[in-house]
Amino acid sequence: MNQILLMDYGVGNSAKIKQVLEMKALNVTVVDFKLEDNFQDYQTLILPGVGSFDGCMKSLEASGNLDFIKQAASLGKRVIGICAGAQIIFESSEEGSCKGLGIIEGNVIANQQTKNVLNVGRKIVKFEDSNYSRFSSDRFYFSHSFQLNPVDKSCILAKTSEGIPAFIKKKNIYCIQFHPEKSGMLGIDFLSDLVLESLVN
Amino acid sequence: MKRVIPAITFFNESVFVTLQFQKRLDGGDLLNSIRFFSESDADELIVSFPRYRNSESNSLLLKSVIETCFVPLNIAGVVRDMNSATELFGLGLDKVSITLTSKNINLMKEISSRYGSQAITAIVKIDRTLDLTTTLLADQLLESGAGEVLFIDIAKDGSGSGLDLPFLEKFKSLSDKMPVLLRGGCSGYAELGSVLNLNWIDGIVAASMFSCTADRQSILLNYEREMWSNHDL
């Protein structure tokens, strides 16, 4: 059975992501620590995130979902992290002191390329990978002060025009720095296509 | 890229285009206005609720507002404590605007600490009678944890007479600390294009310009991005 799981651990804007995916006729199950169901037969796990690295990690630990995410990654499920949810997939962040999930080798560092550390607004993103090049546009919405810094730079599939990593893929793990749910129809199409890929494959 | 942000003001039952933030033209249904700017793929959208009172019906209204908008959404006049902030961010709100005062600073710090500085827009209302130094303002802004500052020129609101740049330039140095947004009096697309070329301005917020005809006598929602996006930003 195709299933799309969306992690709700108290700091992500899971409601909005669920809404945009359901607009594209994708059924989403929101997963939180209150549920007793043992999810095994699913294809995709979406990890949203808003706010600080430490704030997200502490909420994730408190929710009891931390091991579930690591297990999803090791089982080869498609794990899609969005914004702060993408950052906690890494080992650590200059923003805080908590350890991240460590699913992708690397850390999260302060923005250097923008005039102020805060990178906010619609930005030009160029997708280098031919699978996603149709999405290259200037309409993706970013709102962050720290950026993804993988050890393996070849997994960076898209950057902003200032050189900030926008989209990373490492095997079955996908990290989106911008907010697809806030980037108009283009962003909604991008996220839903990414999810649909896992269902088709 | 610079940001061009339409602003909507909602007084209890209806959207109103204002003049110095007093009701002037009835702008109709709130969700229709939001839907228009969302479908126009506005860079961001600010919705202000000047007389907001907590109630079940207003909570439902805010939920509908957030659900209707698919561009970055900033809400002003609503969040007065962490509970309301938590509820709204959980529903998908991106930012809250809070007036920078000594009374609000602790709340702003708390929201910034939990949701990041990008979640807070500090509002500074222009008062030409006050001798507010930028040094003091910079200290307050940094203490608040806000990610950006929005200067609102109340005297110019709804006038369409042009931004008072000679006055606003006194706050120019703040752009070294954080993005600076301006609101109040933008006359139209031509002025928008020229103002956005100024290095220290990160964005313009405008209300009547995007809700009215050019003479500001009738309601006409508009957001023509091609009118300024061809400029070298």
Side-chain angles (χ1 to χ4, degrees):
Chain A
M1 183 173 69
N2 288 336
Q3 275 201 60
I4 307 161
L5 302 185
L6 173 58
M7 187 66 69
D8 177 7
Y9 57 107
V11 293
N13 52 342
S14 52
K16 199 66 185 172
I17 293 171
K18 179 172 163 57
Q19 184 194 3
V20 303
L21 288 175
E22 287 179 344
M23 280 168 58
K24 303 292 279 187
L26 292 167
N27 288 322
V28 178
T29 304
V30 179
V31 182
D32 64 20
F33 67 94
K34 298 187 192 74
L35 291 174
E36 296 173 353
D37 292 341
N38 187 14
F39 289 99
Q40 290 182 353
D41 190 17
Y42 63 96
Q43 272 64 50
T44 302
L45 175 64
I46 301 172
L47 185 60
V50 171
S52 67
F53 188 92
D54 281 5
C56 286
M57 281 309 301
K58 286 175 184 171
S59 291
L60 198 56
E61 283 173 2
S63 74
N65 285 313
L66 203 144
D67 289 338
F68 187 92
I69 301 167
K70 289 183 178 178
Q71 181 191 60
S74 64
L75 287 175
K77 307 293 186 183
R78 180 166 291 208
V79 176
I80 301 174
I82 298 174
C83 198
Q87 295 185 353
I88 60 175
I89 283 175
F90 286 71
E91 295 170 292
S92 64
S93 173
E94 288 180 349
E95 185 184 13
S97 56
C98 290
K99 280 189 181 175
L101 293 164
I103 296 171
I104 290 183
E105 199 180 358
N107 64 348
V108 177
I109 60 176
N111 290 338
Q112 307 277 339
Q113 301 90 330
T114 45
K115 180 181 148 191
N116 295 295
V117 173
L118 184 59
N119 179 38
V120 65
R122 305 291 194 122
K123 304 291 176 176
I124 298 168
V125 173
K126 191 171 175 201
F127 289 83
E128 301 293 343
D129 187 296
S130 59
N131 289 318
Y132 307 103
S133 57
R134 66 192 182 281
F135 290 108
S136 293
S137 164
D138 63 354
R139 300 308 294 159
F140 288 103
Y141 178 69
F142 289 76
S143 182
H144 64 115
S145 301
F146 293 81
Q147 64 185 256
L148 310 173
N149 183 40
V151 168
D152 175 13
K153 304 299 181 202
S154 70
C155 68
I156 302 173
L157 299 192
K159 291 183 181 179
T160 67
S161 54
E162 294 106 338
I164 294 175
F167 178 55
I168 282 170
K169 175 185 180 297
K170 184 82 173 171
K171 295 182 185 173
N172 55 313
I173 312 300
Y174 296 75
C175 297
I176 305 172
Q177 182 61 73
F178 54 87
H179 284 277
E181 77 283 9
K182 293 293 176 167
S183 301
M185 282 314 301
L186 179 75
I188 293 171
D189 286 344
F190 175 77
L191 181 61
S192 59
D193 277 13
L194 207 56
V195 171
L196 274 168
E197 269 182 356
S198 67
L199 303 182
V200 166
N201 295 332
Chain B
M1 289 172 67
K2 301 295 180 79
R3 292 175 279 157
V4 176
I5 306 170
I8 297 171
T9 306
F10 183 77
F11 286 86
N12 298 330
E13 298 299 326
S14 186
V15 170
F16 277 89
V17 176
T18 57
L19 183 65
Q20 295 184 357
F21 286 94
Q22 300 301 310
K23 293 181 190 178
R24 190 175 74 83
L25 276 180
D26 189 327
D29 183 73
L30 175 60
L31 297 184
N32 277 345
S33 295
I34 291 171
R35 196 170 295 119
F36 173 83
F37 290 116
S38 180
E39 288 174 2
S40 299
D41 201 20
D43 290 342
E44 292 179 30
L45 179 61
I46 293 181
V47 184
S48 301
F49 296 82
R51 293 174 194 164
Y52 185 82
R53 289 179 192 277
N54 287 326
S55 70
E56 191 175 333
S57 61
N58 277 340
S59 290
L60 290 172
L61 176 63
L62 288 177
K63 186 169 183 282
S64 297
V65 162
I66 294 169
E67 284 177 352
T68 304
C69 189
F70 295 97
V71 298
L73 178 64
N74 189 331
I75 284 182
V78 168
V79 170
R80 295 180 191 129
D81 52 48
M82 272 310 287
N83 284 342
S84 56
T86 303
E87 184 182 351
L88 292 176
F89 284 119
L91 288 172
L93 182 65
D94 299 286
K95 299 181 186 181
V96 294
S97 288
I98 299 178
T99 304
L100 183 68
T101 64
S102 52
K103 187 180 158 199
N104 288 336
I105 271 190
N106 283 339
L107 174 62
M108 294 168 81
K109 278 161 74 169
E110 197 177 349
I111 293 173
S112 177
S113 171
R114 175 139 191 217
Y115 294 103
S117 62
Q118 59 268 24
I120 296 256
T121 302
I123 290 180
V124 176
K125 296 176 184 175
I126 298 295
D127 182 346
R128 289 171 175 75
T129 64
L130 282 181
D131 184 22
L132 183 62
T133 65
T134 50
T135 308
L136 178 61
L137 190 53
D139 289 343
Q140 288 178 337
L141 284 167
L142 286 175
E143 188 191 348
S144 73
E148 61 189 14
V149 58
L150 167 58
F151 288 98
I152 298 183
D153 194 344
I154 294 173
K156 286 279 211 163
D157 172 61
S159 68
S161 59
L163 292 155
D164 186 357
L165 286 178
F167 178 82
L168 292 168
E169 271 191 359
K170 66 186 280 188
F171 303 113
K172 194 171 163 177
S173 60
L174 291 171
S175 68
D176 294 335
K177 307 274 187 292
M178 62 178 59
V180 172
L181 306 172
L182 303 180
R183 174 177 176 175
C186 189
S187 58
Y189 289 108
E191 183 185 15
L192 194 62
S194 66
V195 168
L196 289 175
N197 275 320
L198 298 171
N199 280 343
W200 62 278
I201 296 173
D202 197 81
I204 297 294
V205 177
S208 63
M209 179 187 148
F210 292 122
S211 296
C212 296
T213 50
D215 63 5
R216 286 167 169 77
Q217 295 305 307
S218 307
I219 296 294
L220 179 67
L221 297 180
N222 65 96
Y223 188 86
E224 307 287 340
R225 196 150 39 84
E226 62 273 13
M227 298 287 282
W228 69 84
S229 61
N230 289 332
H231 291 261
D232 180 12
L233 298 178

